[in-house]
Amino acid sequence: MNFTTAGTSNKWNKAPLSKSLLLVPSALSLLLAFLLPHCQKFFVYDLHAVTKDFQIWRLICGRVICLDLKDTFCSSLLIYNFRIFERRYGSRKFASFLLGCWILSALFDFLLVEAMQYSFGITVASNLPSGFLAPVFALFVPFYCSIPRVQVAQILGPLSITNKTLIYILGLQLFTSGSYIWIVAISGLISGLCYDRKMLQVHQVLCIPSWVAQFFSWTLEPIFSSSEPTSEARVGMGATVDIQRQQRMEQLDRQLMLSQFAQVRRQRQQQGGMINWNRLFPPLRQRRNINYQDGRRSEQQASPPLEVSEEQVARLMEMGFSRGDALEALRASNNDLNVATNFLLQH
């Protein structure tokens, strides 16, 4: 379900906040559903109680834990897939985005409810869907804008399946899971657009202070952080000896490429130069496989430079990478957009 082929054995590497947002609210939601159903009333997102009875605490309790298990399941899957943004931007910037959208969406919830009643005479129920839903919908804004669209399969003529189709279907499922969840979804999308486009400088006002980020880095990050991927990756158990050797060599080649790219990119960034990827390591697909059965080694033949698709270069540049790095990454990965994106995102 991951829309980027990360290629690491640990999917939660560099994403402790995403891991905590998936585990803690899900565990509390299950606890309230099965063991403490009488406590669910304290986590109802009741706008009438907020405005009329001044129960401001419901803006916090009612917008953290999902009371509907279907919403819990869908939002958890979306958070799992959106963890790439924490790995790309860092935990502090990712937390600032979620906090800003969480605060802005509460304001837009009130505005949308009042606009529906004033403009169309439609009285919306006071109870809106509970949970950390608005920031999840807000993440669809950077997902749509910055994640490249790669076609996977073609169906029914112009229709095609891409690496983002499943995420959109999952978001549509969450969007249609309740009667008034569309209000939370629209407020989340609007808040995500405002924060992502830096409207009214909200990204500078609604952000996590450095001392708060440092405090949680000391206290919570050791609990939810994941270890770096091990150098010894698992090989298929049912494979023959030759296939296992080939898989092991491919894994070692991948680790070598990542380490070489990280080291040289740091050096080149200090010098202001550009990385020559093909000089460091030839693409894997240009290497001939070793025949272990007859014990003969094949020769490595140099291939002419690959023609890089300008569309794929444009997609990488839309994500914020320079044209030079995008060209070299695509050539080194044999025009594989997912592998090139993985190299540039992780380093």
Side-chain angles (χ1 to χ4, degrees), residues 198-214:
K198 302 178 180 179
M199 297 181 180
L200 302 177
Q201 302 298 318
V202 293
H203 66 288
Q204 295 182 358
V205 178
L206 302 177
C207 63
I208 303 294
S210 58
W211 64 271
V212 175
Q214 191 69 28

Side-chain angles (χ1 to χ4, degrees), residues 7-268:
T8 59
S9 59
N10 194 332
K11 300 299 183 181
W12 292 109
N13 183 35
K14 300 180 182 179
L17 179 59
S18 300
K19 186 177 181 180
S20 62
L21 289 176
L22 188 146
L23 295 178
V24 176
S26 299
L28 293 176
S29 180
L30 292 173
L31 184 65
L32 290 174
F34 295 107
L35 299 180
L36 301 172
H38 58 281
C39 295
Q40 289 186 351
K41 60 183 180 181
F42 298 109
F43 297 92
V44 174
Y45 186 21
D46 190 348
L47 289 180
H48 180 79
V50 174
T51 55
K52 303 300 181 181
D53 301 332
F54 298 101
Q55 297 181 4
I56 308 300
W57 56 271
R58 289 192 179 275
L59 288 176
I60 300 176
C61 297
R63 306 179 67 246
V64 174
I65 302 174
C66 293
L67 298 182
D68 191 334
L69 293 182
K70 298 190 301 296
D71 296 346
T72 302
F73 179 73
C74 292
S75 60
S76 298
L77 289 178
L78 289 172
I79 290 174
Y80 173 79
N81 283 277
F82 289 150
R83 74 195 185 281
I84 187 67
F85 294 114
E86 182 179 4
R87 298 169 66 179
R88 178 181 178 184
Y89 300 130
S91 297
R92 181 188 174 189
K93 188 174 180 180
F94 182 68
S96 298
F97 179 88
L98 295 178
L99 176 64
C101 294
W102 188 73
I103 296 175
L104 288 175
S105 60
L107 174 62
F108 289 125
D109 285 343
F110 286 103
L111 294 178
L112 286 174
V113 170
E114 293 298 327
M116 291 295 296
Q117 186 173 2
Y118 178 79
S119 301
F120 304 101
I122 300 176
T123 303
V124 180
S126 60
N127 293 349
L128 294 180
S130 303
F132 197 71
L133 301 177
V136 173
F137 282 108
L139 285 169
F140 275 98
V141 175
F143 177 73
Y144 175 80
C145 297
S146 62
I147 299 300
R149 178 178 176 270
V150 180
Q151 181 175 329
V152 177
Q154 188 80 22
I155 58 172
L156 299 178
L159 299 179
S160 61
I161 298 177
T162 69
N163 58 331
K164 303 170 70 173
T165 301
L166 185 59
I167 310 302
Y168 287 132
I169 293 177
L170 194 59
L172 183 61
Q173 171 65 32
L174 184 60
F175 183 82
T176 58
S177 63
S179 301
Y180 297 104
I181 197 172
W182 60 271
I183 296 179
V184 178
I186 293 177
S187 64
L189 292 173
I190 296 175
S191 61
L193 184 63
C194 293
Y195 202 96
D196 186 68
R197 298 304 176 185
K198 302 178 180 179
M199 297 181 180
L200 302 177
Q201 302 298 318
V202 293
H203 66 288
Q204 295 182 358
V205 178
L206 302 177
C207 63
I208 303 294
S210 58
W211 64 271
V212 175
Q214 191 69 28
F215 173 77
F216 283 105
S217 176
W218 291 338
T219 55
L220 296 183
E221 187 172 351
I223 301 176
F224 294 103
S225 62
S226 300
S227 59
E228 292 286 342
T230 57
S231 58
E232 294 293 331
R234 301 179 65 180
V235 182
M237 295 179 60
T240 63
V241 176
D242 292 338
I243 296 177
Q244 289 180 7
R245 289 173 179 172
Q246 181 179 348
Q247 291 177 346
R248 183 59 56 83
M249 289 192 63
E250 291 177 353
Q251 292 163 1
L252 293 176
D253 285 339
R254 189 181 302 114
Q255 295 168 7
L256 178 62
M257 285 193 296
L258 290 174
S259 61
Q260 288 180 336
F261 170 67
Q263 180 181 0
V264 176
R265 186 171 191 179
R266 286 193 297 266
Q267 297 175 356
R268 292 297 182 183

Side-chain angles (χ1 to χ4, degrees), residues 290-331:
I290 299 177
N291 190 343
Y292 290 96
Q293 294 180 350
D294 57 3
R296 287 182 294 177
R297 296 178 299 175
S298 61
E299 299 179 357
Q300 295 183 357
Q301 299 179 351
S303 301
L306 294 175
E307 294 185 1
V308 179
S309 171
E310 287 296 330
E311 181 182 358
Q312 293 181 343
V313 174
R315 290 177 180 175
L316 289 176
M317 292 178 66
E318 288 175 358
M319 299 176 65
F321 304 112
S322 66
R323 178 178 176 81
D325 281 354
L327 287 172
E328 298 294 345
L330 289 170
R331 288 169 184 163

